[in-house]
């Protein structure tokens, strides 16, 4: 990605240009780096993705090994980033 304002090149695509899948994967990676768990609604809010779209992505994320779903905390299912 080229930024003409600073005349620099970087590998990170600006948040607005990332696909919803990329935003979710990046958020899970951030949670993993911080050593914390998250949950569905926190991911949807942080990645700026609709609940409906995130529900369709969950099976893909689990299958590809980005996270696993753990026990429930109240009404929320806890996600463990891998």
């Amino acid at each position: 990605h080229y930024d003409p304002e600073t005349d620099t090149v970087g590998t990170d695509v600006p948040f607005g240009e990332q696909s919803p899948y990329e935003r979710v994967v990046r958020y899970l990676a951030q949670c993993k780096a911080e050593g914390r768990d998250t949950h569905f609604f926190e991911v949807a809010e942080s990645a700026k993705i609709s609940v409906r779209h995130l529900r369709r992505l969950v099976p893909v994320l689990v299958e590809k090994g980005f996270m696993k779903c753990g026990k429930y905390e109240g009404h929320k299912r806890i996600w463990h980033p891998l």
Side-chain angles (χ1 to χ4, degrees):
H1 175 75
Y2 174 70
D3 184 4
E5 201 169 284
T6 60
D7 198 35
T8 58
V9 177
T11 57
D12 288 341
V13 176
F15 186 82
E17 295 177 22
Q18 295 174 7
S19 72
Y21 176 79
E22 290 173 318
R23 293 193 303 258
V24 171
V25 168
R26 283 183 180 268
Y27 184 71
L28 290 173
Q30 178 185 351
C31 289
K32 181 181 177 184
E34 295 171 2
R36 66 183 185 88
D37 294 333
T38 187
H39 58 83
F40 182 89
F41 297 105
E42 184 178 62
V43 173
E45 182 180 326
S46 298
K48 307 290 187 238
I49 182 175
S50 71
V51 170
R52 186 177 189 182
H53 195 147
L54 185 54
R55 286 191 201 286
R56 288 191 302 249
L57 287 178
V58 169
V60 175
L61 295 168
V62 171
E63 181 182 314
K64 292 191 175 193
F66 288 110
M67 61 102 171
K68 67 178 181 175
C69 294
K71 63 181 180 177
Y72 282 92
E73 182 179 287
H75 70 284
K76 300 175 208 164
R77 185 173 221 170
I78 304 302
W79 289 14
H80 305 285
L82 301 174

